[in-house]
């Protein structure tokens, strides 16, 4: 049981390049989330999908787009990467009801 | 708006000493509070949640609604407790989003 799987684990981009971060969960969870983790700032929510077919902005959505491809997969896209988007990105999922979020291993993204 | 404050960026204690990681929150309704732990370069893992009222790895946390706090405590620190600890709040609503604090790095010294 893999849980939440993120690909790639590491990526280096040049400013202006585009990139899609992939996330898949095998727990049949309804809700999925994308966070970025920066030193001294904790985790901040970028976008989330409460259920298949819906997506909503979180705290820091600018510069990102998401797609809830199906119940399993939730991708995060950077259309034109900027150095300020250098961060570690975490995907998470949770079931309905009174359940906690489960996290992936993260994607370490550097933009030069 | 919901907010979580962890006032300490770094907490350094000796092995065997008591540990208290502070967490205060701001939320107008009935929050659900969590502690997540992240060991070096690993994924975040749920440590405990207030509704479970359980002890995990010797850690406990009590929700104090009067003081709006959810401090994490352990009577005797172990070396393997060294990690980043995040307090998080879920206010329910659409998507049951989590609001995280900025985290406290716990370092247990020998």
């Amino acid at each position: 049981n893999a849980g939440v799987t993120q690909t790639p684990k590491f990526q280096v981009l040049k400013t202006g390049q585009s990139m899609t971060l992939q996330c898949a969960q095998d727990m049949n969870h309804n809700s999925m989330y994308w966070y970025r983790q920066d030193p001294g700032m904790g985790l901040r929510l970028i976008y989330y999908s409460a259920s298949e077919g819906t997506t909503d902005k979180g705290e820091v959505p600018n510069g990102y787009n998401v797609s809830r491809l199906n119940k399993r997969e939730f991708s995060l896209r950077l259309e034109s990467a900027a150095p300020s988007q250098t961060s570690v990105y975490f995907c998470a999922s949770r079931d309905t009801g009174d359940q906690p979020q489960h996290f992936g291993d993260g994607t370490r993204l550097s933009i030069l | 708006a919901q907010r979580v404050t962890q006032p300490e960026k770094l907490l350094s204690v000796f092995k065997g000493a008591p540990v208290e990681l502070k967490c205060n929150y701001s939320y107008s309704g009935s929050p659900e509070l969590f502690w997540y732990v992240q060991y070096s370069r690993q994924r975040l893992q749920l440590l405990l949640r207030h509704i479970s009222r359980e002890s995990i790895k010797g850690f406990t946390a009590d929700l104090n609604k009067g003081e709006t706090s959810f401090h994490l405590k352990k009577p005797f620190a172990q070396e393997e407790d060294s990690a980043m600890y995040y307090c998080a709040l879920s206010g329910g609503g659409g998507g049951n989003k989590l609001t995280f604090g900025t985290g406290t790095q716990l370092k247990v010294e020998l």
Side-chain angles (χ1 to χ4, degrees), chain B residues 39 57 59 74 76-83 85 106 108:
Chain B
Y39 300 102
K57 299 184 179 183
F59 285 97
K74 185 171 182 177
F76 307 104
Q78 301 299 313
E79 190 179 359
E80 57 266 28
D81 296 329
S82 294
Y85 291 81
L106 175 64
V108 180

Side-chain angles (χ1 to χ4, degrees), chain A residues 28-46:
Chain A
N28 202 37
H29 287 172
N30 286 308
S31 302
M32 298 186 74
Y33 310 81
W34 275 106
Y35 295 89
R36 59 177 290 172
Q37 182 185 40
D38 301 292
M41 305 193 76
L43 279 83
R44 293 178 293 169
L45 183 65
I46 304 171

Side-chain angles (χ1 to χ4, degrees), chain B residues 24-79:
Chain B
N24 288 89
Y25 67 90
S26 173
Y27 184 65
S28 57
S30 292
E32 187 172 359
L33 276 299
F34 304 83
W35 277 100
Y36 279 85
V37 60
Q38 186 180 27
Y39 300 102
S40 182
R41 292 184 176 260
Q42 294 186 24
R43 66 177 66 185
L44 274 81
Q45 306 171 37
L46 178 67
L47 182 61
L48 51 80
R49 51 196 305 198
H50 88 271
I51 62 170
S52 299
R53 298 189 64 79
E54 56 191 345
S55 174
I56 304 293
K57 299 184 179 183
F59 285 97
T60 59
D62 290 318
L63 178 60
N64 186 323
K65 291 187 177 181
E67 296 182 357
T68 60
S69 67
F70 188 56
H71 302 328
L72 183 68
K73 300 178 182 179
K74 185 171 182 177
F76 307 104
Q78 301 299 313
E79 190 179 359

Side-chain angles (χ1 to χ4, degrees), chain A residues 2 4 10 31 33 35 37 40-43 45 48 50 90 94 97-101 103-105 108, chain B residues 9 32 34 36 38 41-46 49 51 84 86 94-103:
Chain A
V4 178
F10 304 94
S31 302
Y33 310 81
Y35 295 89
Q37 182 185 40
M41 305 193 76
L43 279 83
L45 183 65
Y48 68 100
F90 285 98
R94 71 181 288 280
D98 201 16
Q99 298 300 317
Q101 291 185 18
F103 285 80
D105 286 332
R108 193 170 294 270
Chain B
K9 286 187 178 181
E32 187 172 359
F34 304 83
Y36 279 85
Q38 186 180 27
R41 292 184 176 260
Q42 294 186 24
R43 66 177 66 185
L44 274 81
Q45 306 171 37
L46 178 67
R49 51 196 305 198
I51 62 170
M84 178 69 85
Y86 290 99
N96 278 289
K97 303 181 292 294
L98 282 177
T99 297
F100 283 86
T102 51

Side-chain angles (χ1 to χ4, degrees), chain B residues 4-9 22-24 35 85-87 101-104:
Chain B
V4 177
T5 302
Q6 293 180 251
E8 303 142 327
K9 286 187 178 181
K22 291 183 167 50
C23 172
N24 288 89
W35 277 100
Y85 291 81
Y86 290 99
C87 182
T102 51
T104 298

